[in-house]
Amino acid sequence: MQTGFKFNLSPVKEPLGFIKLVEWFVALFAFGCCGGYSGRNVITLFCDEAKNETLNVTFAYPFRLSQVLLVKDNITLCNRTMTTTHLIGDSSSSVEFFVAVAVLAFLYCMIALLVYVGYMHVYRVSDFGPAFDFLVTAAFAFLWLVCSSAWAQGLQKVKYATGTEGICTSLKSDVNCEVTEFSSMRTLDISVVFGFLNLIIWSGNAWFVYKETCWHSQARNSRQEAERGRGPGPI
């Protein structure tokens, strides 16, 4: 059997390879939409007698919000001296897990596509290749479920911490405050959508990979033998 590289685009035209190509693009968009995010919100403090004050807070990936400074150097706001204050919460673990899964999925798709277009003649005559591919594909489907759910919950924490209620909780002051300018989090919402879209695509791809394994052929042969063994029914 020849094991050298043989370039062939036919597998990419089949569901097995085409879905891997789609997974490659969707994984790229998943981590691209949140990995480089940076936003800034403007907070207005409504003073009773003095002129209203404003604060700016800038937050970015990986959203270690408890390290983001809101008030520094014991400044005076609305005739009140405020101590050094940070935002509340930390969503770094969920978003970093999400990005890690997306990057690993992106890299695995590249490797799988390379095998499909160059070594499919080896892939289909061996039991190890399809079995390994199926196990990894199924594992990624599960990881997409876990990481997308975790990041969706983490994103809600980010929105709360950078919103009016979260900012007022962080300030711990009797001064009324409100976030008057919000940074758009549309790309973060899109990243969550792409995460669950990856879950659907990888789950569907697992079936097509499973059809290439020896387990599927053995199950099909067992059914065929069982049907032949029963023979024709009574007349």
Side-chain angles (χ1 to χ4, degrees):
M1 179 184 66
Q2 294 183 350
T3 59
F5 184 87
K6 291 183 179 180
F7 184 74
N8 183 11
L9 284 177
S10 296
V12 180
K13 301 175 183 179
E14 302 173 4
L16 179 70
F18 180 76
I19 295 178
K20 272 291 187 293
L21 186 62
V22 173
E23 289 171 345
W24 184 79
F25 279 107
V26 178
L28 173 64
F29 286 120
F31 70 79
C33 286
C34 64
Y37 179 86
S38 179
R40 183 177 71 92
N41 284 1
V42 177
I43 302 99
T44 300
L45 303 178
F46 300 100
C47 308
D48 295 333
E49 300 175 358
K51 183 177 68 173
N52 293 344
E53 305 274 3
T54 59
L55 292 172
N56 296 325
V57 58
T58 301
F59 52 97
Y61 174 88
F63 306 109
R64 293 188 176 91
L65 301 179
S66 58
Q67 299 178 12
V68 176
L69 201 60
L70 181 58
V71 177
K72 62 179 180 178
D73 300 329
N74 296 327
I75 63 175
T76 299
L77 296 171
C78 294
N79 297 325
R80 295 170 176 80
T81 300
M82 297 186 178
T83 59
T84 301
T85 306
H86 296 81
L87 294 179
I88 57 175
D90 188 342
S91 297
S92 60
S93 59
S94 60
V95 70
E96 286 177 337
F97 178 41
F98 179 83
V99 169
V101 171
V103 171
L104 290 174
F106 174 81
L107 295 176
Y108 180 74
C109 287
M110 291 180 63
I111 296 172
L113 286 170
L114 177 63
V115 172
Y116 292 168
V117 300
Y119 298 95
M120 184 56 80
H121 57 290
V122 179
Y123 177 91
R124 280 185 166 150
V125 298
S126 66
D127 292 336
F128 173 78
F132 178 81
D133 194 13
F134 170 72
L135 293 176
V136 174
T137 302
F140 268 115
F142 175 75
L143 287 174
W144 277 116
L145 171 62
V146 176
C147 74
S148 299
S149 300
W151 172 222
Q153 185 177 8
L155 179 56
Q156 292 304 313
K157 293 180 180 179
V158 172
K159 290 181 177 180
Y160 171 80
T162 57
T164 297
E165 186 177 354
I167 295 292
C168 292
T169 302
S170 300
L171 289 174
K172 298 178 181 178
S173 172
D174 58 350
V175 177
N176 292 326
C177 67
E178 182 180 350
V179 178
T180 52
E181 292 184 25
F182 286 90
S183 174
S184 174
M185 295 189 183
R186 184 176 302 171
T187 57
L188 299 181
D189 292 327
I190 292 174
S191 70
V192 174
V193 173
F194 274 117
F196 286 106
L197 181 60
N198 268 292
L199 165 63
I200 297 173
I201 296 173
W202 282 81
S203 298
N205 185 220
W207 165 248
F208 291 101
V209 179
Y210 173 73
K211 291 175 66 176
E212 301 290 331
T213 65
C214 58
W215 305 319
H216 178 263
S217 58
Q218 290 172 357
R220 182 178 56 189
N221 292 337
S222 298
R223 287 195 301 268
Q224 292 175 350
E225 291 177 0
E227 291 174 356
R228 287 197 297 267
R230 284 196 297 267
I235 300 176

